[in-house]
Amino acid sequence: MSHLEKSPAPGRLLLDDTSPLTALIEASQNLQSHTEYIIRVQRGVSSDNSWQVIRRYSDFDILNGSLMVCGLSLPLPPKKLIGNMDREFIAERQRGLQAYLDSITQHPLISTSLFVKKFLDPSNYSANYTEIALQQVSMFFRSDPKWEVLEPLKDMGWRIRKKYFLIKNKEQSKERFLLSWVDLGPDKFLSDKDLQSAMKLLTNLSTPYLCPLLFSSTSESSALLIRPFSEKGSLRDQICKVKPRESHLKKYCNPKKSQGLELGQIKLYGRQILEGLRLLHDGGLFFGHLHASNIIVDDDVCRVVDIENGMLGVPSILRPAFTQLRKINTTESIDVFCFGHLLYEMTYGRPPDSVPVDQFPSVPYSSVVSVLQSILSTEACKSGMPTVSALIQTPLFSDVQLKHSEKLQIKVPSRLKEALKEAKGRLEKRLHEEQRLFHQHRRLTRAQSHYGSEEEKKRRKILARKKCRQSTYENEEDVSVRNNNNSGSGASSPPTCPSSPTPPSTTGSHTTPPPPPPPPPAPDSSSCSPPLPPPSSDRAGGGRAALLSSIQTFSKGKLKKADTVDCSTPKF
């Protein structure tokens, strides 16, 4: 396999796992016993960030077996034992495998799974992240032996470089906690010292709508976090009515019993989540990771979890969506955009298929639809997101009575606040650059698509014919002008060779047009002057200018009287 990506800096993999991969089967090659398919894979919109992988049909079959847990029927072409080396069959199978690749790379959850990443990008996803996480956890437990691992929670979340473990405190044996190990991401712009200060701040949080950390430890490349474990699972688990500890692909790819919330729950949960966002924004903290799996509900109180993700630099699951929308260019607008997705899921029991959304399914809550339109519609995505405070003032949320009515705030030290502001600016700058590259690529793609359309091809043919006719007309005109110039300049030229054609005869007022000139004879230096050089390309190209100059400099006095022989008298 040839890989064209630049190698990341050692010690930290600066790779955005949410960046979409596209795969195109470029060719197939028949070997003695099997067929190999050459796949061109590209990350993002830049063709420079691409590589090739070679896969057999058996590799596709293994991948499909791993994805069966999703509960979806994926369009993998069937096996064929006899005649599987025929040229026509291989071409047909290649088309089927391409359709299969398109389906898995365009699915929002399947495309981010480790199975697909390993299949298309083995050089960047060959590491055993569970083993790496266990090593880090073991080192931590040596320094703090009061904790004990009960079981790993495999594939509980969608993030590839984040692993979960169910643990307990030996001093509180009945209570369960959730330990997570996460690799730092490409948007980690805080220094190690400032990151530790920020984690300490989040550990000491005491607010009703933000879930605090019980413990945090960061290194140059990763972080260990401990928080309370919710047996009921996340808000998405409750909406989809699934078991919290199951694989996220099994839980969320094709839920059978998902159902939206009642209006009262939508109003209460939505207001509490907005209060949590306002608290973060007022404190200068950036988030960007709001979705139903990051909400814990306990006794009708919503708490936002993973609020440290923004400072750890890990990419948002919705990054591919808001990278396409240039008006979503601040951390605050990202949170509002994510809230729109969450509100849609709370209302309809599933996230939107795509954004913008202009046709909303029928729902008896008109006040909910109006808020959704202000965030997810085409007009909203073009003009910009409302603020969190503006959403709180909408009729949907303004009349919600909260248990905690006192004014809440997060006290951030001034030095950390400045560091957070700088990191936020760098994060937004990287987003702006990605948005610029995406829109540049989209304009180029549209131009290429328009250039290759049938209508454009017909238009170009018509223009080519017109240009050809115009060019032919101008060439004929130039030839006529050159002939006229040559004829006009011949009257005042020096004596011609004896073999030169005689000038046209004139009788009365009529002039007999001259015949076309024969090819010039070989020059005879003894009997005639050297022939004039052929007209230059400049003169040929400027025929009209030459004609105008000839007319302006014409003098009748320079003409010589021609000797004519009158042959008009009839002979008998």
Side-chain angles (χ1 to χ4, degrees), residues 262-272 343 346 367-368 394-400 402:
E262 298 294 331
L263 179 60
Q265 291 176 307
I266 294 174
K267 291 169 66 71
L268 177 61
Y269 294 173
R271 175 64 185 272
Q272 291 172 345
L343 182 62
M346 289 194 295
S367 57
V368 177
T394 59
L396 180 62
F397 302 117
S398 61
D399 59 349
V400 176
L402 298 175

Side-chain angles (χ1 to χ4, degrees), residues 298-560:
D298 189 13
D299 292 334
D300 269 346
V301 176
C302 277
R303 288 191 170 188
V304 182
V305 302
D306 285 357
I307 54 178
E308 71 280 352
N309 278 357
M311 288 166 282
L312 296 177
V314 295
S316 169
I317 192 172
L318 292 180
R319 188 178 185 90
F322 59 72
T323 299
Q324 304 178 30
L325 307 170
R326 303 188 81 165
K327 286 296 183 179
I328 304 177
N329 51 18
T330 64
T331 56
E332 291 82 1
S333 61
I334 291 173
D335 284 336
V336 172
F337 179 74
C338 294
F339 177 79
H341 272 253
L342 173 58
L343 182 62
Y344 187 102
E345 188 170 354
M346 289 194 295
T347 305
Y348 298 108
R350 56 181 177 82
D353 296 327
S354 61
V355 176
V357 181
D358 290 316
Q359 296 295 329
F360 293 90
S362 59
V363 67
Y365 320 133
S366 58
S367 57
V368 177
V369 174
S370 64
V371 175
L372 289 174
Q373 288 174 335
S374 71
I375 301 174
L376 301 180
S377 67
T378 300
E379 180 61 29
C381 292
K382 286 183 177 180
S383 59
M385 298 287 102
T387 63
V388 170
S389 297
L391 290 174
I392 292 176
Q393 297 302 319
T394 59
L396 180 62
F397 302 117
S398 61
D399 59 349
V400 176
Q401 299 296 320
L402 298 175
K403 294 180 181 179
H404 306 84
S405 57
E406 69 274 9
K407 184 174 177 57
L408 304 172
Q409 63 177 348
I410 302 175
K411 296 181 179 180
V412 182
S414 57
R415 184 184 182 282
L416 179 58
K417 185 172 289 188
E418 286 298 317
L420 289 169
K421 182 178 179 181
E422 181 183 353
K424 173 186 169 184
R426 294 175 65 183
L427 185 151
E428 292 173 350
K429 183 178 180 181
R430 191 175 89 88
L431 173 62
H432 298 166
E433 180 62 18
E434 278 194 19
Q435 291 174 333
R436 185 189 67 81
L437 291 176
F438 175 83
H439 283 271
Q440 185 180 35
H441 171 74
R442 185 159 65 177
R443 286 194 298 269
L444 179 61
T445 302
R446 286 176 177 174
Q448 291 173 343
S449 176
H450 175 68
Y451 190 79
S453 64
E454 292 298 325
E455 181 180 351
E456 178 64 15
K457 288 179 180 178
K458 290 179 181 179
R459 190 184 71 84
R460 290 201 304 271
K461 286 181 180 179
I462 294 173
L463 288 177
R465 291 193 194 104
K466 288 182 178 180
K467 188 175 181 180
C468 183
R469 287 197 295 266
Q470 182 69 18
S471 177
T472 303
Y473 171 77
E474 292 179 355
N475 288 339
E476 291 177 351
E477 189 177 55
D478 289 346
V479 170
S480 175
V481 169
R482 287 198 298 271
N483 289 339
N484 289 337
N485 289 343
N486 291 337
S487 175
S489 61
S492 58
S493 62
T496 60
C497 297
S499 58
S500 299
T502 59
S505 61
T506 56
T507 305
S509 60
H510 299 284
T511 302
T512 305
D524 186 358
S525 58
S526 63
S527 60
C528 65
S529 60
L532 294 174
S536 65
S537 59
D538 293 340
R539 182 179 174 187
R544 294 180 180 175
L547 175 61
L548 180 60
S549 176
S550 178
I551 293 173
Q552 290 175 341
T553 59
F554 174 74
S555 175
K556 187 175 180 181
K558 294 181 180 180
L559 296 178
K560 294 183 179 180

Side-chain angles (χ1 to χ4, degrees), residues 188-228:
K188 186 259 182 183
F189 295 118
L190 287 174
S191 67
D192 294 341
K193 183 177 179 180
D194 290 330
L195 180 59
Q196 291 174 1
S197 299
M199 293 298 103
K200 183 178 179 181
L201 175 70
L202 298 182
T203 305
N204 296 326
L205 274 184
S206 179
T207 59
Y209 309 123
L210 301 176
C211 186
L213 292 171
L214 301 179
F215 174 85
S216 65
S217 174
T218 59
S219 66
E220 294 181 355
S221 60
S222 62
L224 277 173
L225 311 161
I226 299 177
R227 57 171 46 91

Side-chain angles (χ1 to χ4, degrees), residues 63 66-67 69 112-120 155 249:
L63 171 65
S66 302
L67 296 176
V69 67
T112 60
S113 69
L114 184 58
F115 303 120
V116 174
K117 299 289 189 181
K118 275 187 174 181
F119 184 83
L120 296 176
D155 302 323
L249 291 178

Side-chain angles (χ1 to χ4, degrees), residues 111-321:
S111 61
T112 60
S113 69
L114 184 58
F115 303 120
V116 174
K117 299 289 189 181
K118 275 187 174 181
F119 184 83
L120 296 176
D121 190 5
S123 65
N124 277 322
Y125 293 93
S126 58
N128 188 332
Y129 298 107
T130 301
E131 186 66 29
I132 296 173
L134 282 172
Q135 292 176 2
Q136 299 288 328
V137 171
S138 299
M139 292 174 61
F140 162 68
F141 283 164
R142 290 195 197 104
S143 61
D144 195 348
K146 70 179 180 181
W147 299 101
E148 179 183 347
V149 174
L150 297 177
E151 62 175 301
L153 301 174
K154 295 182 179 180
D155 302 323
M156 192 178 76
W158 68 272
R159 200 176 295 282
I160 293 174
R161 305 172 199 277
K162 188 172 186 177
K163 299 301 175 182
Y164 297 90
F165 302 88
L166 188 65
I167 66 173
K168 71 174 183 178
N169 188 331
K170 295 178 181 179
E171 300 172 358
Q172 302 171 350
S173 57
K174 293 184 178 180
E175 193 170 358
R176 299 294 180 262
F177 301 92
L178 183 67
L179 181 146
S180 58
W181 168 89
V182 60
D183 203 14
L184 302 183
D187 283 326
K188 186 259 182 183
F189 295 118
L190 287 174
S191 67
D192 294 341
K193 183 177 179 180
D194 290 330
L195 180 59
Q196 291 174 1
S197 299
M199 293 298 103
K200 183 178 179 181
L201 175 70
L202 298 182
T203 305
N204 296 326
L205 274 184
S206 179
T207 59
Y209 309 123
L210 301 176
C211 186
L213 292 171
L214 301 179
F215 174 85
S216 65
S217 174
T218 59
S219 66
E220 294 181 355
S221 60
S222 62
L224 277 173
L225 311 161
I226 299 177
R227 57 171 46 91
F229 177 72
S230 174
E231 293 289 347
K232 295 180 181 179
S234 66
L235 178 59
R236 178 166 291 165
D237 292 331
Q238 297 180 36
I239 291 174
C240 296
K241 296 178 172 55
V242 294
K243 297 178 181 178
R245 301 189 190 187
E246 289 182 336
S247 160
H248 76 285
L249 291 178
K250 183 178 181 179
K251 291 190 295 184
Y252 305 139
C253 272
N254 190 26
K256 305 295 184 182
K257 301 178 181 179
S258 61
Q259 184 178 359
L261 305 179
E262 298 294 331
L263 179 60
Q265 291 176 307
I266 294 174
K267 291 169 66 71
L268 177 61
Y269 294 173
R271 175 64 185 272
Q272 291 172 345
I273 293 167
L274 288 173
E275 291 292 342
L277 290 180
R278 181 161 67 175
L279 194 59
L280 290 173
H281 295 174
D282 291 346
L285 302 173
F286 47 90
F287 184 35
H289 296 263
L290 180 65
H291 53 80
S293 293
N294 278 348
I295 302 296
I296 299 297
V297 182
D298 189 13
D299 292 334
D300 269 346
V301 176
C302 277
R303 288 191 170 188
V304 182
V305 302
D306 285 357
I307 54 178
E308 71 280 352
N309 278 357
M311 288 166 282
L312 296 177
V314 295
S316 169
I317 192 172
L318 292 180
R319 188 178 185 90

Side-chain angles (χ1 to χ4, degrees), residues 23-28 37-40 60 93-95 97-98 101:
L24 175 66
I25 302 178
E26 295 183 314
S28 60
Y37 299 92
I38 303 172
I39 307 172
R40 168 67 59 178
F60 282 89
R93 172 174 277 184
Q94 179 173 328
R95 290 191 292 270
L97 293 177
Q98 183 62 61
L101 286 176

